[in-house]
Amino acid sequence: MSNENNKASASHNEEQKNDFIRHIIREDLAQDKYQQIVTRFPPEPNGYLHLGHVKSICLNFGISEEFDGICNLRFDDTNPTAEKQDYIDNIKNDVEWLGFKWANQPYYASGYFDQLYKWAIQLIEQGDAYVDLQTPEQIKENRGSFNEPGKPSPQRDASVEENLQRFDDMKNGKYEEGEAVLRAKIDMASPNMNMRDPVIYRVMKQSHHQTGDKWCIYPMYDYAHPLSDAIEGITHSLCTLEFEDHRPFYDWAVEKIGFDLPPHQYEFSRLNVDYTMTSKRKLKQLVDEGIVSGWDDPRMPTIAGMRRRGYTPEGLRDFCDRVGVTKADSVVDYRLLEFSIRQSLENTTARGMAVLKPLKVTITNFEEAVSEWESLKADSVNARWDEDNQTLWLNQPKHPNIDMGEREIPFTKTIYIDQADYELEPPKGYKRLSPEKTEIRLRNTYVLAVTEHVLDDAGNVVELKATIDKTTLGKNPEDRKVKGVIHWVSASQGVPTKVRLYEHLFNVENPGAAADIHDVLNPNSLTELDAVVEPSIANAEAGSRFQFEREGYFVADAKEHSSDKPVFNQIVSLRDNYKPE
């Protein structure tokens, strides 16, 4: 990235940080409302984190860093039927990988279950909660609609003593699941459906990953969440807009329990990206049905998937900065994400050559040309001749502008170029090889001239015969101008490699709106190619990123790559016409 682009990006990111939430925090600090800003990132451990969570992570942790505060990581683990330790472990890894560190040890809503239970008893004693013995179907039916008020439960006006006994019976397992719930006593005629006596405890005879079999009743998320915030002294509880209608109950809960300095909830727009779906339920469906290889499939919008795809934490943070924080829902162009990732890779990835669709080229005058390599040394060409393997090893920088050291590239009599670099009937504007245009420069080496093409029975080009101009190693010919440069790989020294190319997992802009996700799956979301790469790439460690010259950015797969069996995933294309505003 140029200095001008760096300055423009920094200026843009700084401008984006003048959002309404930061404005509120600055005013609160100016008025000495809080001694310290405390935020939290509170995921439910019922799946892997996805792209939408990245925005929340960057906002909560970013604000705590910016205002010398702290940010807690808390697992709102109120539903043991959907939660796993695997999800918890991956959430921790994701937050750390993005470059953030939470204060103290991770917190758990389950760590507050004793206190939440005591507060539930307090609400009953205050006349603010009651045990409802209706069936789930009756509760749903009597809740009313946006046009009709709800109907009160037959148990709504039971005495405090009756409710305390029933709640104790719930706790002691005397009710089965669905036979009794504890509800907040608010207003069955409220225009806000969330205030029509919401359920705050239910019977659930399930073992919990943190508390074991201690409990057979569990608090509802909407009850546990605000009170957990209050326990931790959260000053600014930042949620996405779908929780805006839940805020009245959030405020009701902390007010009824009573806190000297209660937390306040602020809502911002969630991150919606076209061609992307972030419903954890539907993402789990993709995993469970084997549509993808797992939560970390590189096509998945999970942080684990994006990490395996080769996306960088710097690129994701830059993307979130560019998207900004507003109260207006919108859909972000996926190309902005790719732009940010590409920007982060430009000056951090070594270069290398890989031929994704190999076409054999035999250089008929190879021995004659390279026999003069000793004299070429005098012309500052850094090369060595390997007599045993008949290979000319060329030293080239790993990056044209950044000092990353050098790599050795083997040049041999037989090489591979990409099939697309030779066309029998080239389209208009084609600048590579064809029967009419026979000469081109091979990257980092000689000018090559095609003398013959070989066809198979179907009329496909399967091999080229060519010569190299022995005077052009490391310099241009003096008598003519050669247009065009193509990449190549040695046929004998190159390493066979599996390369995966990706398109969107879905072929519609809003896959979340589809009644059946199977109807919108992109059959071309994954293409696997048998490619050939230069040795310096194949020998890289898993997780190493490269720019395959003229092809794009790729990463050695974190799970399957080895020097014996290299596997590379496409990160992002080399360039795009998209320009962010």
Side-chain angles (χ1 to χ4, degrees), residues 247-261:
R247 188 183 349 130
F249 180 71
Y250 184 106
D251 294 340
W252 182 92
V254 295
E255 178 187 348
K256 289 295 182 179
I257 298 303
F259 294 94
D260 293 335
L261 193 60

Side-chain angles (χ1 to χ4, degrees), residues 151-171:
K151 298 177 182 178
S153 163
Q155 290 81 43
R156 194 172 196 269
D157 294 323
S159 68
V160 169
E161 291 72 23
E162 286 178 296
N163 282 311
L164 288 173
Q165 183 60 54
R166 288 168 179 166
F167 191 50
D168 189 60
D169 289 345
M170 285 175 61
K171 176 180 179 291

Side-chain angles (χ1 to χ4, degrees), residues 194 198-200 219-227 243 246 249-250 253:
N194 297 294
V199 174
I200 59 176
M220 299 297 288
Y221 174 88
D222 276 1
Y223 171 73
H225 180 81
L227 298 179
F243 291 97
H246 297 248
F249 180 71
Y250 184 106

Side-chain angles (χ1 to χ4, degrees), residues 78-143:
T78 59
N79 183 6
T81 63
E83 299 163 358
K84 295 180 182 179
Q85 187 62 42
D86 173 54
Y87 297 150
I88 292 173
D89 294 340
N90 274 279
I91 288 170
K92 292 177 185 177
N93 291 338
D94 287 345
V95 173
E96 289 185 317
W97 178 78
L98 281 170
F100 299 108
K101 183 62 181 174
W102 51 87
N104 307 308
Q105 295 298 313
Y107 294 107
Y108 296 83
S110 56
Y112 309 138
F113 279 177
D114 287 335
Q115 182 61 65
L116 295 174
Y117 175 76
K118 291 177 183 178
W119 280 336
I121 292 175
Q122 175 185 330
L123 291 174
I124 293 172
E125 292 174 339
Q126 292 173 181
D128 293 318
Y130 63 95
V131 173
D132 191 347
L133 302 180
Q134 296 181 99
T135 66
E137 292 75 20
Q138 289 172 327
I139 292 175
K140 181 178 180 181
E141 181 181 352
N142 292 333
R143 194 171 178 228

Side-chain angles (χ1 to χ4, degrees), residues 442-483:
L442 298 176
R443 175 78 75 187
N444 302 312
T445 178
Y446 295 90
V447 169
L448 174 139
V450 176
T451 57
E452 179 186 351
H453 62 251
V454 180
L455 304 178
D456 63 10
D457 293 340
N460 300 310
V461 178
V462 294
E463 183 181 359
L464 300 178
K465 302 292 181 66
T467 60
I468 51 177
D469 185 336
K470 61 185 178 181
T471 68
T472 58
L473 180 58
K475 59 184 179 181
N476 294 319
E478 297 178 357
D479 58 345
R480 65 198 185 281
K481 188 173 183 179
V482 179
K483 293 183 179 180

